[in-house]
Amino acid sequence: MSLNSEPSGPLLISNVRPVGFGAGVDGSLTNILIGEDGCVLALGSHMQAPETARVVDGQGSWISPGWTDLHAHVWRGGTDISIDPSVCGIERGVTTIVDAGSAGEANFAGFREFIIEPARERIKAFLNLGSIGLTASRQVSELTDMRSVNIDRIMACVEANRDVIVGIKIRASGMITGGWGITPVKLAKRIAKILKLPVMAHVGEPPPLIDEVLAELGPGDVVTHCFNGKYAGSIIEDDDLFAMAERCAAEGIRLDVGHGGASFSFRTAKVAIERGLLPFTISTDAHARSVDGKVWDLGTTMSKLIALGMPFDKVIEAVTIAPASIIGLPVSGHLDIGRRAEFTVFDLADSDLAVIDSSGQPARLKQLIEPRWTVLGNSATRASRYQPLVKGSACPHCGGALLR
């Protein structure tokens, strides 16, 4: 629930500790004053709130730039796996959701009109290479053969939606492409190159092999599900493959977690992190078959990476500055006077929460990142950890089913 459904007067965020804002901003307690226009007016530890100000007392919580989830599926009603943005968005501390290929060129107009434009969250999208996107992802492949791809229409769709389309998504998995092998990845890369956009490549069951996928990608492209534990798809099962993954990361290929219902392994992540290979971005791959049992939300996914040894500051960077750099959002100056406010207030709390990875392997989280407030402009919304829902539960905002 918003602090004020119709915000009026300035908003003061008090007693918060900044993190993830870059060099020159330490974690000392401060206050942030936001004007009626939604822009930062002032900040400082001794600032007094105007009499007309609404106050959010952070009580010593952390504050970061608004979180970005680089991989989720929110084309609710347009695909068989998507959820409403409200499930994984502002009320979970996330201000920007990047949909990872739910829509293709044939149905992107509907995704934009019915989901992207009405949403409270900022929604960007990777356009699926396949024209139908994930309409029926478990029953009908979007990449059966070349008849599934219309290059001219992809080009036209991207040009008409440059403000929201941030790249091309390809599911490079034998379960999707059958015997088509590496060709769809090559095609996605060629189209993206012409459009001057990155590719996001889902890696999973071969063919193609993950090393074949990596060989086709370049700086700025994204490999999602980087810590999957699938047979012949895990980067830790082969020393040469792990070395290749390290080289690719050093050259600018972005490793993204993309937890999901089948694509995150505690073992793979732990070994990679211990060897010094950190993910560039942390994302949920939240969808109707992942949120309740395994993913929950972005804060819980971040907490899993902390439990596996990823440093706290790197975890915050992986949901703020890092994904922003991929999708073309500003990566600095979030606290500058005159900048529109976009923040997540959260705690790093002691915990003993039982969680599982995508294969059902258990772990306990001793520290839990818990969102408290999401600030967008002059509006502050209470945020909290996701609580698993019964399928078919009604969305409190639109009345539709949250989980299909």
Side-chain angles (χ1 to χ4, degrees):
M1 179 180 296
S2 294
L3 185 69
N4 189 329
S5 58
E6 295 182 359
S8 61
L11 173 67
L12 182 71
I13 312 297
S14 67
N15 299 314
V16 287
R17 295 179 290 165
V19 63
F21 290 97
V25 181
D26 62 27
S28 301
L29 280 175
T30 193
N31 307 313
I32 303 170
L33 182 63
I34 300 164
E36 289 190 69
D37 62 354
C39 296
V40 176
L41 278 178
L43 66 156
S45 56
H46 301 295
M47 184 173 49
Q48 297 297 313
E51 290 184 5
T52 56
R54 294 160 297 132
V55 180
V56 169
D57 187 351
Q59 300 180 325
S61 296
W62 296 98
I63 189 169
S64 72
W67 294 349
T68 295
D69 190 344
L70 191 69
H71 183 158
H73 294 283
V74 293
W75 188 181
R76 185 182 65 83
T79 83
D80 66 346
I81 66 166
S82 290
I83 56 178
D84 193 278
S86 64
V87 177
C88 57
I90 286 174
E91 294 182 10
R92 305 282 89 80
V94 175
T95 60
T96 301
I97 301 170
V98 184
D99 186 278
S102 298
E105 53 81 12
N107 51 23
F108 192 84
F111 179 41
R112 175 163 193 153
E113 180 177 353
F114 299 117
I115 301 294
I116 294 176
E117 292 180 355
R120 298 170 67 207
E121 298 80 6
R122 177 192 294 111
I123 298 181
K124 302 288 188 178
F126 282 87
L127 183 72
N128 201 305
L129 178 67
S131 289
I132 65 170
L134 305 183
T135 303
S137 62
R138 293 294 181 93
Q139 290 81 37
V140 180
S141 170
E142 73 273 21
L143 289 173
T144 303
D145 55 34
M146 195 59 207
R147 292 171 296 179
S148 302
V149 181
N150 188 314
I151 297 175
D152 290 339
R153 286 171 55 119
I154 289 172
M155 298 288 188
C157 181
V158 170
E159 294 301 345
N161 297 279
R162 281 276 185 180
D163 56 329
V164 292
I165 293 177
V166 296
I168 302 297
K169 172 71 180 296
I170 165 70
R171 292 203 291 169
S173 166
M175 294 181 65
I176 312 304
T177 59
W180 207 7
I182 195 64
T183 301
V185 179
K186 290 175 177 283
L187 184 58
K189 181 59 182 175
R190 179 63 58 84
I191 293 171
K193 205 169 181 181
I194 294 169
L195 292 167
K196 296 181 171 53
L197 291 173
V199 168
M200 175 184 277
H202 155 128
V203 291
E205 301 84 356
L209 295 167
I210 187 171
D211 47 335
E212 293 180 287
V213 176
L214 290 172
E216 295 298 327
L217 302 182
D221 292 330
V222 180
V223 173
T224 192
H225 312 316
C226 66
F227 292 155
N228 79 74
K230 296 176 181 179
Y231 178 71
S234 168
I235 60 173
I236 67 167
E237 303 300 343
D238 178 333
D239 287 343
D240 290 337
L241 177 58
F242 188 83
M244 183 181 190
E246 288 182 306
R247 285 197 308 275
C248 288
E251 292 168 1
I253 293 176
R254 305 315 192 183
L255 303 184
D256 174 60
V257 168
H259 189 308
S263 301
F264 179 72
S265 161
F266 285 140
R267 176 174 175 266
T268 302
K270 182 175 175 58
V271 170
I273 290 169
E274 286 178 346
R275 293 182 183 178
L277 183 60
L278 303 181
F280 186 74
T281 51
I282 298 171
S283 66
T284 60
D285 186 15
H287 56 73
R289 300 188 182 102
S290 70
V291 287
D292 267 2
K294 297 169 182 176
V295 171
W296 295 1
D297 60 15
L298 186 57
T300 305
T301 305
M302 294 158 67
S303 303
K304 291 179 181 181
L305 274 297
I306 286 178
L308 292 167
M310 189 170 175
F312 172 69
D313 61 331
K314 293 296 184 183
V315 168
I316 304 307
E317 187 176 301
V319 299
T320 54
I321 295 172
S325 71
I326 293 172
I327 63 174
L329 294 179
V331 298
S332 62
H334 295 87
L335 290 173
D336 288 353
I337 305 303
R339 178 73 171 270
R340 182 167 174 79
E342 186 170 335
F343 306 121
T344 301
V345 179
F346 65 96
D347 284 329
L348 181 60
D350 292 336
S351 175
D352 191 30
L353 181 68
V355 294
I356 57 175
D357 67 6
S358 295
S359 64
Q361 292 299 308
R364 301 198 80 87
L365 301 181
K366 298 303 181 184
Q367 291 183 299
L368 186 63
I369 291 177
E370 295 190 321
R372 301 300 186 201
W373 293 91
T374 308
V375 179
L376 275 176
N378 192 246
S379 176
T381 300
R382 285 192 182 275
S384 63
R385 186 164 56 84
Y386 175 81
Q387 299 297 318
L389 299 168
V390 176
K391 288 189 177 181
S393 297
C395 171
H397 304 298
C398 69
L402 290 172
L403 308 178
R404 297 176 61 82

